[in-house]
mmCIF file of all heavy atoms in Angstrom:
data_model
loop_
_atom_site.group_PDB
_atom_site.id
_atom_site.type_symbol
_atom_site.label_atom_id
_atom_site.label_comp_id
_atom_site.label_asym_id
_atom_site.label_seq_id
_atom_site.Cartn_x
_atom_site.Cartn_y
_atom_site.Cartn_z
ATOM 1 N N ALA Y 1 -22.179 279.033 35.415
ATOM 2 C CA ALA Y 1 -22.182 278.772 36.901
ATOM 3 C C ALA Y 1 -20.751 278.943 37.407
ATOM 4 O O ALA Y 1 -19.781 278.916 36.647
ATOM 5 C CB ALA Y 1 -22.619 277.281 37.108
ATOM 6 N N VAL Y 2 -20.675 279.305 38.705
ATOM 7 C CA VAL Y 2 -19.467 279.512 39.401
ATOM 8 C C VAL Y 2 -19.550 278.603 40.630
ATOM 9 O O VAL Y 2 -20.592 278.618 41.397
ATOM 10 C CB VAL Y 2 -19.244 280.974 39.762
ATOM 11 C CG1 VAL Y 2 -18.014 281.122 40.671
ATOM 12 C CG2 VAL Y 2 -19.199 281.885 38.479
ATOM 13 N N VAL Y 3 -18.361 277.844 40.893
ATOM 14 C CA VAL Y 3 -18.418 277.097 42.158
ATOM 15 C C VAL Y 3 -17.057 277.585 42.925
ATOM 16 O O VAL Y 3 -16.042 277.789 42.260
ATOM 17 C CB VAL Y 3 -18.317 275.630 41.816
ATOM 18 C CG1 VAL Y 3 -17.172 275.188 41.159
ATOM 19 C CG2 VAL Y 3 -18.452 274.925 43.177
ATOM 20 N N VAL Y 4 -17.105 277.737 44.273
ATOM 21 C CA VAL Y 4 -16.053 278.020 45.072
ATOM 22 C C VAL Y 4 -15.994 276.884 46.126
ATOM 23 O O VAL Y 4 -16.965 276.580 46.783
ATOM 24 C CB VAL Y 4 -16.255 279.405 45.767
ATOM 25 C CG1 VAL Y 4 -15.080 279.773 46.667
ATOM 26 C CG2 VAL Y 4 -16.466 280.491 44.644
ATOM 27 N N PHE Y 5 -14.787 276.442 46.336
ATOM 28 C CA PHE Y 5 -14.456 275.370 47.327
ATOM 29 C C PHE Y 5 -13.916 275.836 48.621
ATOM 30 O O PHE Y 5 -13.327 276.895 48.659
ATOM 31 C CB PHE Y 5 -13.622 274.327 46.686
ATOM 32 C CG PHE Y 5 -14.192 273.671 45.485
ATOM 33 C CD1 PHE Y 5 -13.945 274.104 44.239
ATOM 34 C CD2 PHE Y 5 -14.999 272.607 45.614
ATOM 35 C CE1 PHE Y 5 -14.406 273.591 43.125
ATOM 36 C CE2 PHE Y 5 -15.573 271.985 44.559
ATOM 37 C CZ PHE Y 5 -15.246 272.519 43.234
ATOM 38 N N ASN Y 6 -14.326 275.160 49.651
ATOM 39 C CA ASN Y 6 -13.715 275.304 51.104
ATOM 40 C C ASN Y 6 -14.079 276.821 51.439
ATOM 41 O O ASN Y 6 -13.156 277.649 51.843
ATOM 42 C CB ASN Y 6 -12.268 275.094 51.182
ATOM 43 C CG ASN Y 6 -11.774 274.933 52.575
ATOM 44 O OD1 ASN Y 6 -12.615 274.594 53.429
ATOM 45 N ND2 ASN Y 6 -10.563 275.142 52.807
ATOM 46 N N VAL Y 7 -15.340 277.147 51.602
ATOM 47 C CA VAL Y 7 -15.786 278.461 51.897
ATOM 48 C C VAL Y 7 -15.973 278.597 53.451
ATOM 49 O O VAL Y 7 -16.657 277.752 54.032
ATOM 50 C CB VAL Y 7 -17.102 278.758 51.142
ATOM 51 C CG1 VAL Y 7 -17.738 280.099 51.512
ATOM 52 C CG2 VAL Y 7 -16.979 278.638 49.608
ATOM 53 N N MET Y 8 -15.510 279.621 53.984
ATOM 54 C CA MET Y 8 -15.615 279.985 55.343
ATOM 55 C C MET Y 8 -16.730 281.117 55.386
ATOM 56 O O MET Y 8 -16.626 282.141 54.838
ATOM 57 C CB MET Y 8 -14.462 280.489 56.020
ATOM 58 C CG MET Y 8 -13.334 279.371 55.943
ATOM 59 S SD MET Y 8 -13.788 277.847 56.672
ATOM 60 C CE MET Y 8 -13.577 278.238 58.412
ATOM 61 N N ALA Y 9 -17.830 280.799 56.099
ATOM 62 C CA ALA Y 9 -19.024 281.663 56.149
ATOM 63 C C ALA Y 9 -19.411 282.137 57.603
ATOM 64 O O ALA Y 9 -19.166 281.282 58.505
ATOM 65 C CB ALA Y 9 -20.255 281.050 55.448
ATOM 66 N N HIS Y 10 -19.881 283.342 57.627
ATOM 67 C CA HIS Y 10 -20.350 283.828 59.065
ATOM 68 C C HIS Y 10 -21.831 284.157 58.969
ATOM 69 O O HIS Y 10 -22.188 284.713 57.988
ATOM 70 C CB HIS Y 10 -19.607 285.129 59.376
ATOM 71 C CG HIS Y 10 -18.082 284.878 59.668
ATOM 72 N ND1 HIS Y 10 -17.537 284.648 60.858
ATOM 73 C CD2 HIS Y 10 -17.078 284.835 58.757
ATOM 74 C CE1 HIS Y 10 -16.299 284.514 60.743
ATOM 75 N NE2 HIS Y 10 -15.874 284.569 59.546
ATOM 76 N N LYS Y 11 -22.476 283.757 60.013
ATOM 77 C CA LYS Y 11 -23.928 284.129 60.106
ATOM 78 C C LYS Y 11 -24.020 285.516 60.670
ATOM 79 O O LYS Y 11 -24.833 286.319 60.149
ATOM 80 C CB LYS Y 11 -24.701 283.082 60.910
ATOM 81 C CG LYS Y 11 -26.248 283.445 60.897
ATOM 82 C CD LYS Y 11 -27.015 282.462 61.655
ATOM 83 C CE LYS Y 11 -28.434 282.726 61.677
ATOM 84 N NZ LYS Y 11 -29.203 281.872 62.452
ATOM 85 N N LYS Y 12 -23.279 285.789 61.652
ATOM 86 C CA LYS Y 12 -23.308 287.050 62.339
ATOM 87 C C LYS Y 12 -21.905 287.576 62.772
ATOM 88 O O LYS Y 12 -21.004 286.576 62.899
ATOM 89 C CB LYS Y 12 -24.130 287.041 63.601
ATOM 90 C CG LYS Y 12 -25.643 286.809 63.408
ATOM 91 C CD LYS Y 12 -26.399 286.764 64.706
ATOM 92 C CE LYS Y 12 -27.816 286.556 64.476
ATOM 93 N NZ LYS Y 12 -28.480 286.386 65.904
ATOM 94 N N GLN Y 13 -21.676 288.744 62.965
ATOM 95 C CA GLN Y 13 -20.332 289.123 63.384
ATOM 96 C C GLN Y 13 -20.034 288.526 64.738
ATOM 97 O O GLN Y 13 -20.955 288.218 65.491
ATOM 98 C CB GLN Y 13 -20.320 290.655 63.487
ATOM 99 C CG GLN Y 13 -20.378 291.429 62.147
ATOM 100 C CD GLN Y 13 -20.127 292.873 62.338
ATOM 101 O OE1 GLN Y 13 -20.473 293.391 63.516
ATOM 102 N NE2 GLN Y 13 -19.838 293.544 61.306
ATOM 103 N N ASN Y 14 -18.731 288.323 64.959
ATOM 104 C CA ASN Y 14 -18.288 287.733 66.244
ATOM 105 C C ASN Y 14 -18.647 286.249 66.396
ATOM 106 O O ASN Y 14 -18.594 285.752 67.539
ATOM 107 C CB ASN Y 14 -18.711 288.641 67.410
ATOM 108 C CG ASN Y 14 -18.133 290.052 67.242
ATOM 109 O OD1 ASN Y 14 -17.049 290.234 66.803
ATOM 110 N ND2 ASN Y 14 -18.959 290.933 67.745
ATOM 111 N N MET Y 15 -19.149 285.584 65.419
ATOM 112 C CA MET Y 15 -19.344 284.206 65.541
ATOM 113 C C MET Y 15 -18.320 283.411 64.797
ATOM 114 O O MET Y 15 -17.625 283.807 63.884
ATOM 115 C CB MET Y 15 -20.785 283.844 64.875
ATOM 116 C CG MET Y 15 -21.943 284.192 65.646
ATOM 117 S SD MET Y 15 -23.460 283.746 64.948
ATOM 118 C CE MET Y 15 -23.462 282.027 65.287
ATOM 119 N N ASP Y 16 -18.018 282.169 65.311
ATOM 120 C CA ASP Y 16 -17.202 281.263 64.609
ATOM 121 C C ASP Y 16 -17.546 280.994 63.280
ATOM 122 O O ASP Y 16 -18.676 280.883 63.052
ATOM 123 C CB ASP Y 16 -16.934 279.990 65.411
ATOM 124 C CG ASP Y 16 -16.118 280.186 66.704
ATOM 125 O OD1 ASP Y 16 -15.413 281.105 66.829
ATOM 126 O OD2 ASP Y 16 -16.398 279.318 67.548
ATOM 127 N N PRO Y 17 -16.649 280.968 62.280
ATOM 128 C CA PRO Y 17 -17.114 280.655 60.897
ATOM 129 C C PRO Y 17 -17.516 279.231 60.678
ATOM 130 O O PRO Y 17 -17.188 278.376 61.420
ATOM 131 C CB PRO Y 17 -15.882 280.936 60.080
ATOM 132 C CG PRO Y 17 -14.736 280.851 60.980
ATOM 133 C CD PRO Y 17 -15.200 281.089 62.350
ATOM 134 N N VAL Y 18 -18.301 278.961 59.688
ATOM 135 C CA VAL Y 18 -18.813 277.752 59.351
ATOM 136 C C VAL Y 18 -18.138 277.306 58.072
ATOM 137 O O VAL Y 18 -18.102 278.180 57.073
ATOM 138 C CB VAL Y 18 -20.380 277.710 59.130
ATOM 139 C CG1 VAL Y 18 -20.845 276.281 58.580
ATOM 140 C CG2 VAL Y 18 -21.054 277.985 60.464
ATOM 141 N N GLN Y 19 -17.605 276.183 57.955
ATOM 142 C CA GLN Y 19 -16.907 275.725 56.730
ATOM 143 C C GLN Y 19 -17.883 274.990 55.832
ATOM 144 O O GLN Y 19 -18.432 274.080 56.270
ATOM 145 C CB GLN Y 19 -15.613 274.831 57.075
ATOM 146 C CG GLN Y 19 -14.774 274.509 55.943
ATOM 147 C CD GLN Y 19 -15.159 273.280 55.185
ATOM 148 O OE1 GLN Y 19 -15.785 272.313 55.830
ATOM 149 N NE2 GLN Y 19 -14.768 273.107 54.047
ATOM 150 N N ILE Y 20 -17.965 275.426 54.573
ATOM 151 C CA ILE Y 20 -18.762 274.811 53.605
ATOM 152 C C ILE Y 20 -17.886 274.234 52.411
ATOM 153 O O ILE Y 20 -17.004 274.904 51.985
ATOM 154 C CB ILE Y 20 -19.804 275.747 53.000
ATOM 155 C CG1 ILE Y 20 -20.670 276.444 54.162
ATOM 156 C CG2 ILE Y 20 -20.803 275.031 51.967
ATOM 157 C CD1 ILE Y 20 -21.501 277.574 53.746
ATOM 158 N N ASP Y 21 -18.062 272.904 52.138
ATOM 159 C CA ASP Y 21 -17.203 272.274 51.142
ATOM 160 C C ASP Y 21 -17.144 273.012 49.770
ATOM 161 O O ASP Y 21 -16.212 273.243 49.146
ATOM 162 C CB ASP Y 21 -17.613 270.879 50.927
ATOM 163 C CG ASP Y 21 -17.171 270.021 52.191
ATOM 164 O OD1 ASP Y 21 -16.403 270.492 53.113
ATOM 165 O OD2 ASP Y 21 -17.685 268.850 52.334
ATOM 166 N N ALA Y 22 -18.417 273.434 49.314
ATOM 167 C CA ALA Y 22 -18.519 274.185 48.067
ATOM 168 C C ALA Y 22 -19.689 275.006 48.049
ATOM 169 O O ALA Y 22 -20.764 274.701 48.665
ATOM 170 C CB ALA Y 22 -18.493 273.171 46.896
ATOM 171 N N VAL Y 23 -19.691 276.149 47.361
ATOM 172 C CA VAL Y 23 -20.898 276.858 47.073
ATOM 173 C C VAL Y 23 -20.984 277.070 45.579
ATOM 174 O O VAL Y 23 -20.006 277.505 44.857
ATOM 175 C CB VAL Y 23 -20.785 278.268 47.767
ATOM 176 C CG1 VAL Y 23 -22.025 279.177 47.394
ATOM 177 C CG2 VAL Y 23 -20.673 278.236 49.342
ATOM 178 N N LEU Y 24 -22.107 276.768 45.036
ATOM 179 C CA LEU Y 24 -22.468 276.780 43.575
ATOM 180 C C LEU Y 24 -23.364 277.927 43.273
ATOM 181 O O LEU Y 24 -24.466 278.017 43.847
ATOM 182 C CB LEU Y 24 -22.958 275.466 43.096
ATOM 183 C CG LEU Y 24 -23.432 275.416 41.731
ATOM 184 C CD1 LEU Y 24 -22.435 275.466 40.653
ATOM 185 C CD2 LEU Y 24 -24.353 274.186 41.439
ATOM 186 N N TRP Y 25 -22.966 278.856 42.390
ATOM 187 C CA TRP Y 25 -23.967 279.912 41.973
ATOM 188 C C TRP Y 25 -24.288 279.766 40.565
ATOM 189 O O TRP Y 25 -23.375 279.551 39.675
ATOM 190 C CB TRP Y 25 -23.274 281.309 42.150
ATOM 191 C CG TRP Y 25 -23.128 281.845 43.431
ATOM 192 C CD1 TRP Y 25 -24.121 282.564 44.169
ATOM 193 C CD2 TRP Y 25 -21.884 281.821 44.380
ATOM 194 N NE1 TRP Y 25 -23.571 282.883 45.413
ATOM 195 C CE2 TRP Y 25 -22.236 282.425 45.536
ATOM 196 C CE3 TRP Y 25 -20.745 281.273 44.238
ATOM 197 C CZ2 TRP Y 25 -21.383 282.586 46.537
ATOM 198 C CZ3 TRP Y 25 -19.788 281.346 45.252
ATOM 199 C CH2 TRP Y 25 -20.151 282.050 46.462
ATOM 200 N N THR Y 26 -25.565 279.802 40.265
ATOM 201 C CA THR Y 26 -26.116 279.809 38.900
ATOM 202 C C THR Y 26 -26.957 281.016 38.721
ATOM 203 O O THR Y 26 -27.292 281.666 39.724
ATOM 204 C CB THR Y 26 -26.936 278.495 38.607
ATOM 205 O OG1 THR Y 26 -28.137 278.614 39.263
ATOM 206 C CG2 THR Y 26 -26.120 277.291 39.017
ATOM 207 N N PRO Y 27 -27.408 281.331 37.533
ATOM 208 C CA PRO Y 27 -28.293 282.499 37.452
ATOM 209 C C PRO Y 27 -29.614 282.303 38.060
ATOM 210 O O PRO Y 27 -30.380 283.199 38.551
ATOM 211 C CB PRO Y 27 -28.678 282.488 35.886
ATOM 212 C CG PRO Y 27 -27.400 281.932 35.332
ATOM 213 C CD PRO Y 27 -27.006 280.908 36.166
ATOM 214 N N GLN Y 28 -29.962 280.975 38.461
ATOM 215 C CA GLN Y 28 -31.346 280.711 39.206
ATOM 216 C C GLN Y 28 -31.183 280.488 40.719
ATOM 217 O O GLN Y 28 -32.177 280.810 41.438
ATOM 218 C CB GLN Y 28 -31.939 279.401 38.581
ATOM 219 C CG GLN Y 28 -32.275 279.416 37.125
ATOM 220 C CD GLN Y 28 -31.158 279.240 36.233
ATOM 221 O OE1 GLN Y 28 -30.123 278.599 36.519
ATOM 222 N NE2 GLN Y 28 -31.226 279.831 34.988
ATOM 223 N N ARG Y 29 -29.850 280.145 41.164
ATOM 224 C CA ARG Y 29 -29.893 279.814 42.596
ATOM 225 C C ARG Y 29 -28.478 279.798 43.141
ATOM 226 O O ARG Y 29 -27.543 279.798 42.313
ATOM 227 C CB ARG Y 29 -30.661 278.510 42.893
ATOM 228 C CG ARG Y 29 -29.922 277.300 42.152
ATOM 229 C CD ARG Y 29 -30.711 276.043 42.296
ATOM 230 N NE ARG Y 29 -32.025 276.162 41.968
ATOM 231 C CZ ARG Y 29 -32.621 275.924 40.668
ATOM 232 N NH1 ARG Y 29 -31.850 275.445 39.706
ATOM 233 N NH2 ARG Y 29 -33.870 276.160 40.489
ATOM 234 N N CYS Y 30 -28.381 279.697 44.454
ATOM 235 C CA CYS Y 30 -27.131 279.521 45.125
ATOM 236 C C CYS Y 30 -27.242 278.311 45.998
ATOM 237 O O CYS Y 30 -28.210 278.238 46.757
ATOM 238 C CB CYS Y 30 -26.758 280.734 45.970
ATOM 239 S SG CYS Y 30 -25.198 280.534 46.988
ATOM 240 N N VAL Y 31 -26.289 277.423 45.963
ATOM 241 C CA VAL Y 31 -26.408 275.983 46.656
ATOM 242 C C VAL Y 31 -25.180 275.886 47.488
ATOM 243 O O VAL Y 31 -24.124 276.021 46.930
ATOM 244 C CB VAL Y 31 -26.668 274.926 45.719
ATOM 245 C CG1 VAL Y 31 -26.778 273.551 46.367
ATOM 246 C CG2 VAL Y 31 -27.828 275.185 44.787
ATOM 247 N N ALA Y 32 -25.378 275.542 48.706
ATOM 248 C CA ALA Y 32 -24.319 275.094 49.572
ATOM 249 C C ALA Y 32 -24.138 273.577 49.522
ATOM 250 O O ALA Y 32 -25.136 272.882 49.656
ATOM 251 C CB ALA Y 32 -24.505 275.552 51.126
ATOM 252 N N ILE Y 33 -22.941 273.166 49.302
ATOM 253 C CA ILE Y 33 -22.666 271.758 49.026
ATOM 254 C C ILE Y 33 -21.736 271.198 50.211
ATOM 255 O O ILE Y 33 -20.690 271.674 50.365
ATOM 256 C CB ILE Y 33 -22.019 271.430 47.672
ATOM 257 C CG1 ILE Y 33 -23.016 272.011 46.689
ATOM 258 C CG2 ILE Y 33 -21.875 269.934 47.580
ATOM 259 C CD1 ILE Y 33 -22.371 272.000 45.295
ATOM 260 N N GLU Y 34 -22.095 270.093 51.002
ATOM 261 C CA GLU Y 34 -21.345 269.425 51.933
ATOM 262 C C GLU Y 34 -21.188 268.042 51.553
ATOM 263 O O GLU Y 34 -22.132 267.357 51.264
ATOM 264 C CB GLU Y 34 -22.125 269.502 53.290
ATOM 265 C CG GLU Y 34 -21.345 268.858 54.397
ATOM 266 C CD GLU Y 34 -20.133 269.643 54.727
ATOM 267 O OE1 GLU Y 34 -20.059 270.863 54.594
ATOM 268 O OE2 GLU Y 34 -19.155 269.025 55.307
ATOM 269 N N VAL Y 35 -19.884 267.665 51.297
ATOM 270 C CA VAL Y 35 -19.522 266.360 50.766
ATOM 271 C C VAL Y 35 -19.234 265.499 51.891
ATOM 272 O O VAL Y 35 -18.346 265.850 52.753
ATOM 273 C CB VAL Y 35 -18.330 266.521 49.772
ATOM 274 C CG1 VAL Y 35 -17.980 265.151 49.174
ATOM 275 C CG2 VAL Y 35 -18.720 267.483 48.664
ATOM 276 N N LYS Y 36 -19.741 264.273 51.891
ATOM 277 C CA LYS Y 36 -19.432 263.222 52.987
ATOM 278 C C LYS Y 36 -19.140 261.963 52.248
ATOM 279 O O LYS Y 36 -19.661 261.673 51.118
ATOM 280 C CB LYS Y 36 -20.722 262.982 53.788
ATOM 281 C CG LYS Y 36 -21.036 264.208 54.758
ATOM 282 C CD LYS Y 36 -20.017 264.403 55.648
ATOM 283 C CE LYS Y 36 -20.285 265.646 56.621
ATOM 284 N NZ LYS Y 36 -19.090 266.027 57.159
ATOM 285 N N GLY Y 37 -18.310 261.230 52.845
ATOM 286 C CA GLY Y 37 -17.809 259.970 52.304
ATOM 287 C C GLY Y 37 -18.250 258.798 53.292
ATOM 288 O O GLY Y 37 -18.340 259.105 54.472
ATOM 289 N N PHE Y 38 -18.474 257.671 52.593
ATOM 290 C CA PHE Y 38 -18.904 256.485 53.469
ATOM 291 C C PHE Y 38 -17.566 255.956 54.159
ATOM 292 O O PHE Y 38 -16.415 256.012 53.540
ATOM 293 C CB PHE Y 38 -19.532 255.496 52.647
ATOM 294 C CG PHE Y 38 -20.918 255.824 52.235
ATOM 295 C CD1 PHE Y 38 -21.220 256.402 51.059
ATOM 296 C CD2 PHE Y 38 -22.020 255.531 53.104
ATOM 297 C CE1 PHE Y 38 -22.485 256.719 50.658
ATOM 298 C CE2 PHE Y 38 -23.232 255.787 52.731
ATOM 299 C CZ PHE Y 38 -23.603 256.371 51.541
#
């Protein structure tokens, strides 16, 4: 598995990026992870 933290992603060109806390890639799937604290 590979995990990358603090990822800036774009849905379309010329759009503001979306910050994702972590993206996890495995041979089976890709998961976006957003971490929240109480």
Side-chain angles (χ1 to χ4, degrees):
V2 174
V3 64
V4 179
F5 296 95
N6 198 24
V7 176
M8 300 304 283
H10 295 267
K11 182 176 180 183
K12 295 181 181 178
Q13 288 182 341
N14 302 323
M15 289 185 67
D16 291 334
V18 176
Q19 187 269 337
I20 303 170
D21 290 340
V23 177
L24 171 71
W25 283 276
T26 72
Q28 294 80 25
R29 62 192 48 99
C30 177
V31 180
I33 302 168
E34 182 66 27
V35 179
K36 291 293 179 203
F38 287 93

